[in-house]
Amino acid sequence: MLLDARIDLLGDILRNTKETMVGRSVASVRSPVRNIVEFKPDVTHKSFSKALCAAFCEKFGAENKVVEIGEEIMEKKAFAAEREFIEESATELESWEWKYGQTLEFTHVIEGTVNERQLHANIVAKHGIITSCRLTMDGKEDGLQSLCADLVGKRYGILQDSEFNVVPSELDVLHWLQHEM
């Protein structure tokens, strides 16, 4: 819910900057977005949260016993289970598996220049794992097949030099891919 957000910045923040990435998901549909303060100018985060909890309890028949948890409460031993749950949830939400591991199949076509040579990459990934790769330099695949083979099975977007046994001529290509992903 947007209480009083900068709507003028929202489009730029949500826009995909990788225009050559094509997924198998349903395309997003632009919809009008408004702030709640436009309809109820006196709303605060606290009043909105309270109303949301009350509506949830009414809808699902729960008791309206809400515990507000802040840093000062989290320090108390009485909330050890809650603190553990919150810490585990935060760790999960920050993990690669949560961010990328459930993604649908997508193809990312990348073009650029490395060492004054034209490079073209066609990378397919599913659940965040690279499933196929095709690299060409100046329109030729010569010398890049081993790097492509090494990319298959790796996590998209997380390419560590230590995972690859590349020759120096492939290292610049690998660094380019690391930057472009």
Side-chain angles (χ1 to χ4, degrees), residues 116-152:
E116 299 181 19
R117 299 182 72 187
Q118 279 302 114
L119 209 62
H120 177 92
N122 188 313
I123 299 172
V124 179
K126 185 174 184 178
H127 301 300
I129 304 295
I130 298 172
T131 58
S132 73
C133 171
R134 183 168 184 257
L135 289 170
T136 61
M137 190 174 288
D138 294 332
K140 299 175 185 167
E141 293 183 31
D142 298 340
L144 297 174
Q145 295 92 338
S146 64
L147 178 57
C148 274
D150 282 350
L151 284 166
V152 173

Side-chain angles (χ1 to χ4, degrees), residues 25-131:
S25 60
V26 176
S28 295
V29 177
R30 294 183 68 94
S31 299
V33 177
R34 309 262 309 264
N35 280 307
I36 292 175
V37 295
E38 294 177 46
F39 304 97
K40 187 164 175 46
D42 61 335
V43 72
T44 64
H45 180 268
K46 188 169 188 149
S47 66
F48 179 80
S49 297
K50 188 175 179 179
L52 185 63
C53 289
F56 179 88
C57 291
E58 183 180 324
K59 171 79 175 169
F60 296 104
E63 291 183 38
N64 196 356
K65 290 184 180 179
V66 176
V67 177
E68 292 186 28
I69 298 178
E71 287 183 33
E72 63 283 349
I73 291 176
M74 290 296 289
E75 297 301 319
K76 295 181 181 178
K77 290 183 180 182
F79 292 100
E82 288 84 353
R83 181 177 51 248
E84 183 179 341
F85 174 76
I86 291 169
E87 289 170 354
E88 287 174 3
S89 297
T91 299
E92 180 184 8
L93 293 173
E94 293 169 355
S95 72
W96 180 90
E97 286 79 8
W98 178 262
K99 292 178 185 175
Y100 305 106
Q102 300 176 41
T103 58
L104 298 173
E105 183 175 88
F106 64 89
T107 301
H108 192 181
V109 177
I110 312 168
E111 294 183 345
T113 305
V114 175
N115 298 331
E116 299 181 19
R117 299 182 72 187
Q118 279 302 114
L119 209 62
H120 177 92
N122 188 313
I123 299 172
V124 179
K126 185 174 184 178
H127 301 300
I129 304 295
I130 298 172
T131 58

